[in-house]
Amino acid sequence: MEHSVLTVAMVYLAAAVVAVPLARALGLGAVLGYLLAGIAIGPWGMGLISNVETILHFSEFGVVLLLFVIGLELEPQRLWSLRRSIFGWGAAQVGGVTAVLCVAAWLAGISWQVALIAALGLSLSSTAIALTTMQERNLLPTPAGQAGFSILLFQDIAAIPMIALVPVLGAADAHADAGAGGALKAAGVIVGLLVVGHYLVRPVLRVIARTHMREIFTAFALLLVISVSLLMSWVGMSMALGAFLAGVLLADSEYRHALETDLEPFKGLLLGLFFIAVGMSVDFGVFLAQPWRILGLALGFLVLKTGVMYLLARAFGMAGRQRTLFAFLLSQGGEFAFVVFGAAATARAFSEETASILVLVVALSMMATPLLLIFYDRVLEPRWNGQRKKRKSDPIEANEGHVIIAGFGRFGQIVGRLLHANQVPLTMLDHDPDHIDTLRDFGFKVFYGDATRIDLLTAAGAEKARALVIAIDGIEDSLKLAEAVRREFPQLPILARARNITHYYELMDLGVTVVERETFESALMMGRRVLEQLGFGAYLSRQAAMRFREHNLKTVLEVYPYYKDREQYVSQARRANEELHAMFERDFVAIKRDREDEDA
Amino acid sequence: MMSTHRALMVFADPALHRSRISRRVGDAVRSLPGVQVQDLYELYPDFFIDARNERSLLKQSDLLIFGFQLAWYSMPSLLKEWVDVVFKPEWAEGAGPLRGKSCWVAVACNSMEADYRPGGRHGRPLTDYLAPLEQAARACGMHWIEPHVYYGADRADAQAIDAHAAELRELMAAHIARLPAPQAIEGGGHGA
């Protein structure tokens, strides 16, 4: 059956929109929801979609984008510092799981070539499932998350020689066409990527940012990822690995958060598409032919892989409570297994039937992951938690939270520099690229972006920030931002600069408790200097200014309940003049009274 | 608006963030009913004191307590500013509003008692250094209660500090209990 692109898109979106919220509501998690949606619309469900492979291929971009975004969060130095973890953990995992599975299969009477290929393929885990889950649960900073991430990264690298190795074990004499020329090409592309990424991409991003056209910025971000991925696949390397490298290259750039924000929705949808495609690829024909054998294989595979992972975690000294979660997270077979088995079938290393059985086992194991995690959350975790509560909880480390400054113009700069001088970690957001360049020259971390966008704030780590300073120029933007932050991050304290008194009151309406009128203190200082100039004497001038300041702050709060009425008056010029007159009168009387009071 | 406190503790520590004692004492005292604690460095970091407010708090109290750690044989500078601004002679002296109230000092210092002796490191007893405060209180017609001194503040461990805070709290409660009944001060009407 032929489908137009739009019809297919409609079916996918409808399936996702129905299945995912349903799965969430049932507490099954989004990944399982997508998988079920895929089964429902696939050849063995309602049969709405047929060309599964094309879609699986296309949706790989979800994984690619996921790795790009993860790359963005890893600066090169941090990646370098992870190298031991990547090769240590990665080699141990791939080697350990492969060995155990291979021996088990060989003992079951399968030829060693088939056993080895199957074991190699099955040792790889699903980057999409494991990383998405770790991100959802904010596990990446934990030891289990770090280990998991290192392993997944290693697997992406290891998949390349595996795919090259499979034909060698096969019956067909398919020679790997890579050879020395291929390796040279790959090396060339990576070096090119490093150079271009460093010297070309950032200037281009800057030029595009300066046009202030968001959609072009987004388009360029997508273009960047897609072209890097295609380039990598052209030289026979993993697209995801290429995207990851591109992300790392841009990790310390000022556009990091903006890129992340723009690609996030694409990443999410394409990953969803990927899971749907996996769901569709489950061949129930093969399954129904020998259900018990396949279920047995899947179960045996899961038990062996989880067991090896658990033992590895123990050998590497991971904390007891994290071992199980870690083993569950990486227990499933991965996307690359499909590729490896496909290549093996093509090279006639094993039969089509073996390949489809193994693919089915991988798909089932992918579906099992969300269930294992539910089991962990509902059964294991509460039990351990119950035990832990009896112990005295560890003291929480002093917070390492940063302060976000939205708007780094003349006001935000002074705030930022004061905080910086006192070693307060800062994240600054500004939408003027020229500005950002200058500041970065001086070693400040400034990110490009429209601070009023809540998703950008999320990417900038608003969740873990200690405070937000709103120092943007536009009154409307300032209020919009304050309102959105109150709604999305109610626990984040907001300190805002007010352009004028009405702005001040409007911020107070939004529950912003710390508001500074941007010109008040400096004008006060100026008044004090005038008094000095008039011969008041430095100390007396200071006292006069401070007295006025105290009185003014009090009055401003007293008038607050009526400001909306007042605003209406002030809109008329004559009334405004009267208001000013009244203010002068009030100041004079109050200051006089204060002074008399103090003297007697 | 009407607070019902009977004691006002004027509390000054410019380095609360590294003080081992002041915070605990402040917290312990604050939890006593009938005590208002004015943390000067928190309220007036710019050294501009709201004299009107401080005086109205003083008028409501029967016991004034100064709580501080010795700074170069005297009180911290903001506390001195407080005394200068609030105790304007024409307001406070003689038959002024402070007459008949009590005044007590709770002071901590780093040296040991032995240092505050003739021939010791600091030459004279610590209470000698409190003489200006004592005389100011007497000049305003206040009843001077024997000061409480805590020696060796910088070598006290957490346990000692807790004990000290609890002791101060008890002493303060006892002083409050010994105060004359409120009406005895308010009433009278000596005429002008």
Side-chain angles (χ1 to χ4, degrees):
Chain A
M1 197 160 92
E2 277 301 307
H3 299 289
S4 81
V5 174
L6 281 182
T7 327
V8 172
M10 196 192 77
V11 171
Y12 277 122
L13 293 173
V17 168
V18 173
V20 174
L22 207 64
R24 270 271 163 91
L26 294 173
L28 300 178
V31 172
L32 199 57
Y34 281 119
L35 291 170
L36 292 175
I39 295 176
I41 62 173
W44 292 92
M46 292 178 268
L48 297 173
I49 309 276
S50 46
N51 51 340
V52 176
E53 261 180 46
T54 326
I55 285 157
L56 197 59
H57 190 66
F58 177 70
S59 59
E60 260 180 52
F61 271 111
V63 184
V64 167
L65 284 175
L66 174 68
L67 272 159
F68 180 73
V69 170
I70 286 166
L72 276 177
E73 281 171 11
L74 265 187
E75 287 168 42
Q77 304 98 296
R78 262 193 66 208
L79 184 63
W80 183 244
S81 72
L82 276 178
R83 66 193 187 280
R84 268 174 232 279
S85 172
I86 292 171
F87 286 96
W89 267 112
Q93 187 270 341
V94 172
V97 173
T98 303
V100 170
L101 289 178
C102 188
V103 167
W106 182 68
L107 288 177
I110 294 165
S111 81
W112 72 268
Q113 289 97 331
V114 174
L116 180 60
I117 295 172
L120 279 172
L122 290 173
S123 74
L124 305 175
S125 307
S126 167
T127 307
I129 290 178
L131 268 189
T132 311
T133 315
M134 289 198 284
Q135 270 193 332
E136 249 173 39
R137 298 173 168 234
N138 206 11
L139 288 175
L140 280 174
T142 67
Q146 288 282 330
F149 176 76
S150 301
I151 289 173
L152 290 166
L153 205 60
F154 180 84
Q155 290 178 350
D156 273 352
I157 302 167
I160 302 158
M162 275 186 207
I163 294 163
L165 184 71
V166 164
V168 180
L169 295 169
D173 46 1
H175 287 295
D177 66 340
L184 253 174
K185 211 158 63 169
V189 164
I190 289 183
V191 170
L193 200 65
L194 291 173
V195 174
V196 168
H198 196 77
Y199 292 104
L200 204 68
V201 173
R202 268 162 71 171
V204 172
L205 276 170
R206 187 174 316 137
V207 170
I208 292 174
R210 227 174 261 153
T211 64
H212 291 286
M213 290 172 72
R214 280 210 76 82
E215 61 280 11
I216 297 302
F217 192 84
T218 310
F220 183 76
L222 273 177
L223 175 68
L224 181 73
V225 178
I226 292 176
S227 39
V228 169
S229 310
L230 289 179
L231 201 65
M232 290 304 263
S233 89
W234 175 61
V235 295
M237 308 218 2
S238 144
M239 291 203 285
L241 192 64
F244 174 76
L245 281 179
V248 172
L249 277 180
L250 289 169
D252 63 346
S253 95
E254 58 273 42
Y255 303 104
R256 181 172 116 197
H257 291 315
L259 286 169
E260 206 179 320
T261 309
D262 281 359
L263 294 178
E264 196 70 34
F266 295 98
K267 185 196 90 182
L269 273 179
L270 285 170
L271 273 179
L273 186 58
F274 176 79
F275 296 129
I276 290 181
V278 170
M280 290 192 304
S281 65
V282 177
D283 189 339
F284 284 93
V286 176
F287 181 72
L288 290 176
Q290 36 189 342
W292 296 115
R293 184 165 169 221
I294 288 172
L295 278 179
L297 276 174
L299 193 68
F301 160 62
L302 277 175
V303 169
L304 284 178
K305 188 163 180 182
T306 311
V308 175
M309 304 286 289
Y310 183 88
L311 292 176
L312 272 177
R314 209 162 81 167
F316 274 74
M318 190 183 286
R321 302 163 37 76
Q322 296 213 313
R323 284 177 211 153
T324 315
L325 182 62
F326 164 78
F328 281 175
L329 272 173
L330 295 173
S331 62
Q332 73 295 109
E335 305 78 77
F336 281 115
F338 298 141
V339 186
V340 173
F341 299 151
T346 315
R348 275 179 280 148
F350 48 61
S351 67
E352 287 285 347
E353 198 212 352
T354 313
S356 56
I357 288 177
L358 285 173
V359 166
L360 198 57
V361 166
V362 170
L364 285 175
S365 71
M366 282 178 168
M367 283 188 221
T369 307
L371 297 173
L372 284 175
L373 289 172
I374 290 170
F375 173 69
Y376 178 83
D377 286 343
R378 303 254 170 97
V379 181
L380 298 181
E381 174 85 41
R383 186 173 300 170
W384 287 330
N385 253 338
Q387 283 174 0
R388 191 174 55 162
K389 283 213 179 90
K390 284 174 207 146
R391 271 188 17 223
K392 209 172 167 239
S393 66
D394 297 332
I396 294 160
E397 288 289 311
N399 50 19
E400 41 174 43
H402 56 150
V403 170
I404 302 177
I405 301 183
F408 207 61
R410 56 195 178 100
F411 191 92
Q413 272 173 40
I414 293 174
V415 180
R417 279 161 50 200
L418 173 64
L419 296 177
H420 180 78
N422 284 283
Q423 298 180 328
V424 176
L426 292 180
T427 303
M428 298 156 187
L429 304 172
D430 202 282
H431 60 260
D432 185 342
D434 292 323
H435 212 154
I436 290 171
D437 275 355
T438 324
L439 289 165
R440 287 176 70 92
D441 284 346
F442 286 94
F444 284 105
K445 280 222 156 176
V446 191
F447 293 103
Y448 163 80
D450 176 2
T452 62
R453 289 188 46 171
I454 206 79
D455 44 359
L456 187 79
L457 274 170
T458 311
E463 198 122 8
K464 291 176 209 142
R466 269 194 290 180
L468 166 71
V469 178
I470 302 182
I472 48 186
D473 285 337
I475 292 180
E476 268 190 23
D477 284 346
S478 154
L479 293 171
K480 204 171 98 186
L481 175 60
E483 197 208 333
V485 171
R486 281 263 66 74
R487 194 179 58 235
E488 303 289 330
F489 306 104
Q491 82 294 347
L492 179 63
I494 306 177
L495 301 89
R497 149 238 216 168
R499 297 297 299 241
N500 55 42
I501 199 78
T502 312
H503 188 197
Y504 186 105
Y505 289 145
E506 284 166 338
L507 286 165
M508 285 177 66
D509 281 346
L510 291 170
V512 182
T513 44
V514 182
V515 186
E516 280 300 332
R517 281 169 285 167
E518 60 172 5
T519 49
F520 181 61
E521 297 290 343
S522 54
L524 212 56
M525 183 60 85
M526 177 61 100
R528 187 174 145 185
R529 290 271 179 273
V530 174
L531 290 175
E532 280 173 30
Q533 196 65 35
L534 296 178
F536 264 60
Y539 182 69
L540 197 58
S541 302
R542 173 189 173 276
Q543 290 298 96
M546 292 299 272
R547 186 172 290 128
F548 178 83
R549 182 179 181 278
E550 294 287 304
H551 156 68
N552 181 277
L553 293 177
K554 265 185 215 162
T555 317
V556 162
L557 289 182
E558 279 163 19
V559 174
Y560 173 49
Y562 316 109
Y563 90 93
K564 278 181 182 143
D565 297 339
R566 223 167 59 97
E567 205 185 345
Q568 283 162 11
Y569 290 147
V570 174
S571 64
Q572 297 158 305
R574 198 171 50 87
R575 287 285 190 178
N577 208 11
E578 275 173 28
E579 184 63 31
L580 193 64
H581 189 82
M583 282 200 293
F584 274 122
E585 193 67 32
R586 251 195 326 254
D587 289 343
F588 183 72
V589 170
I591 297 282
K592 204 170 144 216
R593 193 196 55 192
D594 266 10
R595 287 187 62 163
E596 280 165 0
D597 246 35
E598 197 168 297
D599 290 342
Chain B
M1 271 312 275
M2 270 298 285
S3 81
T4 51
H5 69 266
R6 294 208 70 193
L8 178 72
M9 184 181 208
V10 180
F11 177 82
D13 189 329
L16 212 52
H17 55 281
R18 58 184 153 83
S19 161
R20 298 162 52 84
I21 286 187
S22 296
R23 190 182 295 275
R24 298 278 309 127
V25 168
D27 291 345
V29 168
R30 230 182 295 264
S31 65
L32 257 185
V35 177
Q36 162 96 22
V37 178
Q38 289 291 90
D39 183 343
L40 294 189
Y41 278 91
E42 203 49 44
L43 281 167
Y44 306 120
D46 292 318
F47 277 58
F48 185 76
I49 290 160
D50 186 345
R52 259 159 73 87
N53 183 45
E54 296 299 316
R55 282 188 196 138
S56 94
L57 289 176
L58 258 182
K59 278 186 202 165
Q60 295 172 51
S61 326
D62 304 316
L63 172 63
L64 167 65
I65 304 135
F66 290 107
F68 59 91
Q69 182 153 348
L70 213 61
W72 279 110
Y73 308 111
S74 185
M75 54 190 131
S77 52
L78 180 54
L79 184 54
K80 177 71 166 89
E81 176 74 2
W82 186 92
V83 173
D84 291 353
V85 168
V86 177
F87 279 32
K88 271 267 158 73
E90 52 272 44
W91 176 79
E93 243 178 357
L98 299 176
R99 184 161 204 84
K101 297 181 188 295
S102 302
C103 183
W104 186 43
V105 172
V107 62
C109 61
N110 286 337
S111 300
M112 302 310 288
E113 190 164 11
D115 298 321
Y116 288 97
R117 270 186 210 144
R121 216 147 69 83
H122 304 307
R124 53 190 84 201
L126 190 137
T127 42
D128 277 16
Y129 297 108
L130 300 177
L133 260 185
E134 178 178 353
Q135 192 48 42
R138 291 193 193 283
C140 296
M142 300 177 90
H143 166 60
W144 182 253
I145 301 173
E146 196 52 35
H148 180 272
V149 185
Y150 186 73
Y151 294 100
D154 61 350
R155 64 203 74 174
D157 59 12
Q159 219 176 355
I161 290 169
D162 283 347
H164 167 58
E167 189 198 348
L168 266 190
R169 195 173 181 277
E170 251 166 61
L171 271 173
M172 194 176 295
H175 286 323
I176 292 172
R178 271 200 296 275
L179 289 172
Q183 55 268 38
I185 297 167
E186 279 303 312
H190 332 279

